[in-house]
Amino acid sequence: MLHLFIIFFLISICHTKISSAESISRNFTIIGNDFIKDGQRFQIVSGSIHYWRSLPQDWKDRLTLIKELGCNTITTYIWWALHEPEDGIFVFDKPEYDFVSFIKLAHSLGLLVIVRVGPYITAEVDFGGYPYWIMKKEGIFIRRPNKMYYQLIDRYFDKLISYFVPLQYHLGGNIINFQIEDDSDVPIIPFDETHQYYGYLRDGLLKRGIQTLINTLAWPDSLSFEKAIIPNTWTATEYTIHHSTRDAYAVVRKHAPNQNPFMVMEYYPGWVDFEGNHHHGTMDSEEFARGVDEILSYNGSINFYMVFGGTNFQFKNGGDWTLEYHSITTSYDYDAMITECGDAHQTKFQAVRNVIAKYIPLKPIPTPSPSPKGLYGTIYFDSYAKLIDNLYPFDVIYNIDEPIQFEYLNQSYGYVLYSTQLINFTHSSQLLVLPWIQDRAVILLDGILQGIVGWSEKDPITILNLHPVKTNPNPRLDILVENKGRCCAVLSGFDCSFKGLKGRPRLNFRELTNWTITKLPMDEKLTNQSHTFHWKLVSSNISIVSPTFYRSTFYINMSQPLHSFLCTNNWGHGFIVINHFNIGRYSEKGPQRTLYVPAHILKQGLNEILVFESDRKDMLMNINEKNMTFIDYPMWSI
C-alpha cells in the first residue's frame, strides 16, 4: 500500500511540474520593443476580418485563406450595437454574431487573435458601433469621461468581457491582445479627458480578468500619440501607403521609446466606397506589397485593414460626413487580399504573400483559383404591391402633432413614413417647407412622386412645390424617410446620427399637424408581413414610381448552390431580400452595380426574392423592363 502511495505521489509531483512548465512557457508579452511569444521574439502578421460581414458557414473558408496568405493572427472588432440592440437587452447567442465560436475556430486553425473591444470601433458601421438608443440618454457624452456613459459601458463590459477571459493566450486560448477605443485624434476632446477615459477602459478590462496585453491606437503624429499613450498599455499606429514608414517609426520611437513594439494596426490595401461617388478602384498590388515589406523590415508588426472586407448585409453600413453626408455602400470589399465573395485577389494575394515569406517561412503555393459562381438566369417580377396601400402589417402611431425621429420611436434601421391629410388643396401649387431631414426622403401626394430631398442628396433641398391632385381636393401627403446609415466617425456629440424628421413641415408657411407615423424597420419580420399584402399581377404598359415591393421566384437545379452576384441595373433605390435574408441596399447613384449573394442563403429548387424600391429617376420605365440577372463577378460604375 505504501509502495503504491509513493508511486502516486511521485506521479503527482511530475504532473505538477509539467503543468507549471507549460503555464510558464505559454505567455505572450513585450520585452524591450519586441513581442515575445513563449520566450521567443514574435512578429505579428495579422489581418482584419469582421465576424458579422460574412455568414458563419463561410468563416472557416475565409480564415483558412487568411492562414494561407501567411498571417499568423487575425483582428476583429466587437460591435456593441449587435450585442445590446436595445437598452439592457443583450444578444450573444445568435449564430451570425457568435464571436466566441469565431475566435475558437481561428484557434483550431492555428491563428492568434487581437480583439478590439471599442466601445467605439469606427469600422464604417452604423454609428461607429454604438447602439442607437444611447442618444436618448439625457446628459450623455461619448468618448470622454461621463457618468452616464461610464454606467452603460460598465453594464456592457460586465456581460461582454467574461466571454473573453478563458480565451486568453496564457490560459490556453488564442487571444494575445485587446485594443480599447479606436482613433485618438478627436480635436475637441482635451488631453486629460482622453487619458482619463482610456484609463477607465483599461481598468475596466483589468478588473474583469483580462491579463493580456492592451493597446491604444494613434495616427503617426505627435498630437494623436500624446493623446493615446497611457500607463500599462502600448500604442499602435495606422496609416496608408502614402505615409512614410520611416517617419511613422520615428514618431513611435519619440513618444514610446521603450516597451512599445512598432506595429501598424491598420494598413490599408484599399478603401471603402460611398454611394454616389466614383468607385475607389484598386490599389496597385506591387505598390502595396512594397509598403508591407518596408514595415516588416523595421522589425515591425502589421495588421491588414482589411484582409477580408466582406459585406454590409441588412442595413449595417454606416455613413460619413466630411463636407457633405455620404452613405457607405453594401459592399465592403476594400480591394483586400481576399475578395467579398471569398476568393483570393488575383494579384494582391500573391504579391503580399511573397513579401511575408521573406520574414516568415512559407511554402510556395500558386494563387488559389476563384470558386465557381452560380449563374441562375434572369429574374422577371410577376407581382407588385405599393407600400402606401399595404401599411396595415406595420406599427402605426396616429394623431401626432409633430413628427418623431427614429430613435424616439425605438427604431434603429429602415424607414419611417410620415403622413397627413391636406385640406382644400385644389387651386395652385403650394410651397412645402421641410425641416432638416436625415437622411433621404421621398415626397408623395396621393401616391404621386413630388420630389426627393435630404442629406444623402447632393443638394439637400428643403422647399418643394406641391402640385394639386385634380381628382382629390383633400390629398394625402406622405414623407418616406430612410436611415441610410448613422455617421461612423463619431465625436463626443451625435451630429448626423439622429434620423428622420425633426420639427413640423409647413405648407405655405402654415404648420402641418395631425400626423400619422408608420414604423417600417424592414427587419426579419418583413417576409411574413409581405404575405398579407394585396399583390397585383404585373401587366404590360405599367410604370410605377411610388415606393413599391416586387416579388418573384427563381429555380436552382443543384444540391449545393454557389455564390453569385445580382445585377441591379434598371433599378433605383432600395434593398433586396432573398429567402428571408436581406442582402443589402442598392442605389442607381452607384458606384456599386451588383449585390453579393452568399451561397448559404440559397437552396435547391424554388427560391423567393422580395425587392423594395423607394424611387427611381426614370419615371417612364415599363415594369416589364425591370429585371435582375445573376452574374459571376462584381460590377461597379466608373
Side-chain angles (χ1 to χ4, degrees), residues 56-74:
Q57 298 93 325
D58 286 321
W59 287 348
K60 186 174 183 179
D61 287 344
R62 307 293 185 264
L63 292 172
T64 299
L65 203 52
I66 291 171
K67 182 77 178 290
E68 289 182 4
L69 175 68
C71 291
N72 52 36
T73 307
I74 62 163

Side-chain angles (χ1 to χ4, degrees), residues 161-162 164-166 168 170-171 178 203-212:
I161 303 305
S162 61
F164 297 125
V165 171
Q168 296 176 90
H170 69 281
L171 296 177
F178 289 86
D203 293 345
L205 298 186
L206 295 175
K207 73 181 183 182
R208 291 174 175 88
I210 298 303
Q211 301 175 40
T212 305

